[in-house]
Structures are given as structure tokens and as C-alpha cells.
Amino acid sequence: MPMMNLRDLYVDQLRDLYSAEQQILVALPKMIAASSNPQLREKLTKHQTETRHQVDRLMQIFDDLGVEATGHHCRGMEGLLIEGEEILERRGRIPPELLDAALICSAQRVEHYEIAGYGCVRTFADLLGLDAHKKLLQETLDEEGHEDHVLTDVAKHKVNPEARA
Ligand code: FE
Ligand code: FE
């Protein structure tokens, strides 16, 4: 599809995020299964539920635009999750506290990538006068930002001190 205007770019970026979220939904259960710290598990599990809601929000937006959600593969997220897989492969070979610390690094890279993408589409929705979309995308952006802070908190107060011990 040729890209002619800001709306086309908006749809393209939304599809990129949709693909990213779908990939995250596959990766998160593996990350949860590999994590040892109960708080980390709990936070990741909660974010799994949030991620399903984020996909629902994107679906609402695609419905409203009358376009398909699929047709784009987010290679950036694929790369981040391949690196995450490399961490998961160390399971059983490194101390669990270190694995947790590494998982948090990986999860925070994912969050920052999402924050960048959602920031762009939220701004595009605003410029295009799509206020309902802007509201939905801002909700997701807030969740991603919150998750990043939550992960920093768990790392600082629980996982990193244990990894250093
Ligand atoms: Fe997300
Ligand atoms: Fe996220």
C-alpha cells in the first residue's frame, strides 16, 4: 500500500504496534515461567492481562478506521524478543537471581520500545483529530510507562540486591 499522508503512516505504525503486542503475548508466558522472584512474576502476569487490553484497544481503533490489523511484522520487537530468548536459554545455567535481573533488562527494553511507538501514534491521533483514538492510545502509553517504573522498582528493591549478594 503506498503511503500518501499522515493517516497512512498512522495506520502503518498502528499495525507495527499490533504485531509487536502479538509477539509480546507469545513471549510473556515464557518470561513468567522463567522468573523466580514472586514479585517479578506477579508484575509480569499483571502486564500480560494489560497487554490483552492493549490489543483490544488497537482492535477498536482498526474497526473504527475500517482497516485490517494484520499485514505488518514488527522486526524491531522480533529482535528484542530474540535477545530475550537468549536470556531464557541461560535458565538453569546461571543463578536464578541473575536470570531475573537479566529478564528485567529485557522487559524494560520492550517497554521503552513500546513507549516510543505509542507516543508517536498518540501524537498522530491528536493531529488527525481522532480524539477517541488519542484517549485509547494514551491509556496504553500510561500502562507501558507504569510497567517500566514498576520493573525499575522490583529491580532496585528486590532483584538487583539479590543478584549482587
Ligand atoms: Fe504493550
Ligand atoms: Fe508493555
Side-chain angles (χ1 to χ4, degrees):
M1 184 184 75
M3 199 180 287
M4 306 294 285
N5 53 40
L6 189 65
R7 187 190 147 103
D8 294 341
L9 177 62
Y10 177 56
V11 171
D12 193 65
Q13 292 289 319
L14 286 169
R15 284 181 175 144
D16 192 72
L17 282 161
Y18 181 79
S19 164
E21 297 289 15
Q22 295 292 349
Q23 293 180 58
I24 291 166
L25 280 177
V26 176
L28 265 175
K30 295 186 231 172
M31 294 175 75
I32 293 164
S35 58
S36 307
N37 183 279
Q39 246 187 309
L40 178 59
R41 287 179 86 106
E42 184 209 311
K43 302 303 179 190
L44 291 175
T45 304
K46 187 174 165 243
H47 199 54
Q48 194 176 14
T49 307
E50 281 174 346
T51 301
R52 290 194 200 101
H53 292 144
Q54 295 171 357
V55 170
D56 288 343
R57 288 187 199 114
L58 288 173
M59 287 308 298
Q60 283 182 55
I61 290 173
F62 287 118
D63 275 355
D64 187 57
L65 291 166
V67 298
E68 294 290 327
T70 51
H72 183 95
H73 180 69
C74 178
R75 296 209 291 176
M77 187 55 71
E78 186 186 4
L80 289 175
L81 295 176
I82 286 170
E83 291 195 346
E85 285 283 343
E86 288 169 6
I87 293 167
L88 295 178
E89 283 164 14
R90 299 206 177 100
R91 194 181 180 185
R93 293 192 282 122
I94 65 170
E97 300 80 17
L98 271 188
L99 192 83
D100 281 354
L103 281 172
I104 292 177
C105 292
S106 176
Q108 288 195 289
R109 279 188 163 85
V110 167
E111 293 313 318
H112 279 248
Y113 190 82
E114 290 186 289
I115 289 164
Y118 278 107
C120 287
V121 290
R122 185 272 328 267
T123 300
F124 291 159
D126 187 35
L127 288 168
L128 293 164
L130 300 165
D131 291 343
H133 296 198
K134 182 187 164 190
K135 195 169 163 280
L136 288 167
L137 295 167
Q138 185 65 53
E139 277 175 45
T140 296
L141 188 56
D142 291 344
E143 282 175 0
E144 309 294 24
H146 179 73
E147 180 66 7
D148 180 46
H149 285 118
V150 160
L151 289 169
T152 296
D153 219 56
V154 176
K156 241 180 164 171
H157 300 293
K158 300 279 171 190
V159 171
N160 289 352
E162 284 173 21
R164 198 172 71 160

